[in-house]
Amino acid sequence: MVMTAARPVVLSGIQPSGQLLISHYVGAMRNWVAMQDTHDSLFMLVDLHAITVPQDPATLRARCYDFVALYLAAGLDAQKNTIFAQSHVSAHAELGWILNCYTHMGELERMTQFKDKSTRAGAVINVGLFDYPVLMAADILLYQATHVPVGADQKQHLELTRDLAIRFNHQYGEVFTVPEPFIPQTGARIMSLQEPTKKMSKSDPSALSYIGLLDTPDVILKKFKKAVTDSGSEIRFDPEEKPGVSNLLTLLSIFSNTEIPALERHFEGQGYGALKVQTAEAVIAFLAPIQEKFAALRADEGALDDILADGAGRARARAEVTLRRVYDAHGFLPRR
């Protein structure tokens, strides 16, 4: 893949834990698809990060194949993008160790995601969970990414990446590109169907709170019918006063490609039940071709392995260039 100044380098990925949700599609994957013709794009299966919590090996492996197939089914082109598994490029772990030596304990202790996850009942606290942001920084800096699509909850991790790049460059010269965040202005935060003041999350204990990309039509309809709405009966977009209704309007707007003001007019005089059913129908119709393509892709693991092998080869070639610069800056002996 040829890198040019006219094509910003973008890197992103999702952990293969739980399942991919419509919030992942809205907040990340549809933006990936939109950028693949304008950006030099690398999309990872973020499997090294997934083991900061215990994983069943067979389940993890199956889920990794699921995620790769869904990346492709959602519209990513393996010829236009570098699609690979994080664990297939050892430079991630190598650079992660080096960046550990430039990261302050206090910086990691202040990470809100670590504080949140480590205080949950029954949480397993390991060094990997604490050190997660440093490996994330290595992921980004290896490929000299100029832009990183991140949700608002990941912006703190990207700030640490920027700080580490600047700190390293100050000592050794311009080794790393300092990346910028790319945060979509609309639709980037899809809320829980059961607690619409919280974001939709695959870690939510209630399956009624989220819609999976592979949920069947019956399941999707059931979940939307049970979605929490608000007091009153007026259907209008007001995230502060009517978060449940506003979340449904946001989803219907995205999956039906209809502006929210038009939807507000459409639902005048109708109840919440109509909004729930029509939102479910729009999501079902949108996901149908993705699910059909996924089934065909997922049936051929050998083809998925070939795509990952090709992507890993291209990723390794690029990562090694950065790693050599980092090793040379430290005075390590050259590799032969």
Side-chain angles (χ1 to χ4, degrees), residues 22 211 220 224 251 255 278-288:
I22 57 172
I211 303 294
I220 292 172
F224 273 111
L251 289 168
F255 289 103
Q278 290 184 42
T279 303
E281 291 172 345
V283 172
I284 290 167
F286 186 90
L287 292 182

Side-chain angles (χ1 to χ4, degrees), residues 243-266:
V245 168
S246 298
N247 189 39
L248 293 176
L249 284 170
T250 296
L251 289 168
L252 182 53
S253 174
I254 291 167
F255 289 103
S256 68
N257 196 28
T258 306
E259 297 292 333
I260 287 179
L263 293 175
E264 290 176 319
R265 293 191 295 271
H266 170 75

Side-chain angles (χ1 to χ4, degrees), residues 144-167:
Q144 306 294 342
T146 59
H147 293 81
V148 182
V150 291
D153 57 341
Q154 288 283 340
K155 192 174 180 181
Q156 189 184 30
H157 290 173
L158 185 58
E159 287 301 320
L160 175 65
T161 301
R162 288 171 52 83
D163 290 343
L164 290 174
I166 293 169
R167 188 175 301 159

Side-chain angles (χ1 to χ4, degrees), residues 126-305:
N126 55 48
V127 175
L129 185 64
F130 181 70
D131 201 36
Y132 176 106
V134 180
L135 182 56
M136 178 177 170
D139 298 337
I140 296 164
L141 298 179
L142 264 179
Y143 302 102
Q144 306 294 342
T146 59
H147 293 81
V148 182
V150 291
D153 57 341
Q154 288 283 340
K155 192 174 180 181
Q156 189 184 30
H157 290 173
L158 185 58
E159 287 301 320
L160 175 65
T161 301
R162 288 171 52 83
D163 290 343
L164 290 174
I166 293 169
R167 188 175 301 159
F168 196 94
N169 289 349
H170 179 74
Q171 185 167 346
Y172 297 108
E174 297 301 310
V175 174
F176 295 125
T177 298
V178 180
E180 296 290 339
F182 171 70
I183 301 177
Q185 296 301 306
T186 58
R189 195 171 177 84
I190 300 301
M191 313 308 284
S192 164
L193 297 181
Q194 292 299 302
E195 296 182 77
T197 58
K198 298 180 179 180
K199 74 170 186 174
M200 185 178 287
S201 172
K202 58 187 176 182
S203 62
D204 195 300
S206 172
L208 292 174
S209 69
Y210 54 75
I211 303 294
L213 292 182
L214 298 178
D215 280 351
T216 65
D218 287 347
V219 168
I220 292 172
L221 182 59
K222 175 183 176 182
K223 288 181 178 181
F224 273 111
K225 283 185 174 181
K226 292 182 177 293
V228 171
T229 47
D230 313 289
S231 59
S233 59
E234 184 184 7
I235 296 177
R236 60 184 170 84
F237 188 77
D238 185 343
E240 293 296 324
E241 297 296 325
K242 301 178 80 68
V245 168
S246 298
N247 189 39
L248 293 176
L249 284 170
T250 296
L251 289 168
L252 182 53
S253 174
I254 291 167
F255 289 103
S256 68
N257 196 28
T258 306
E259 297 292 333
I260 287 179
L263 293 175
E264 290 176 319
R265 293 191 295 271
H266 170 75
F267 284 108
E268 285 181 7
Q270 299 188 59
Y272 291 161
L275 174 60
K276 292 179 179 182
V277 170
Q278 290 184 42
T279 303
E281 291 172 345
V283 172
I284 290 167
F286 186 90
L287 292 182
I290 293 177
Q291 293 179 351
E292 182 179 358
K293 188 174 181 181
F294 165 82
L297 291 163
R298 185 62 181 84
D300 190 348
E301 290 184 358
L304 296 176
D305 286 333

Side-chain angles (χ1 to χ4, degrees), residues 311-334:
R314 287 187 277 160
R316 279 194 293 268
R318 296 174 64 158
E320 282 297 323
V321 174
T322 298
L323 200 60
R324 283 198 300 269
R325 293 169 65 183
V326 171
Y327 280 15
D328 185 61
H330 283 89
F332 293 164
L333 296 175

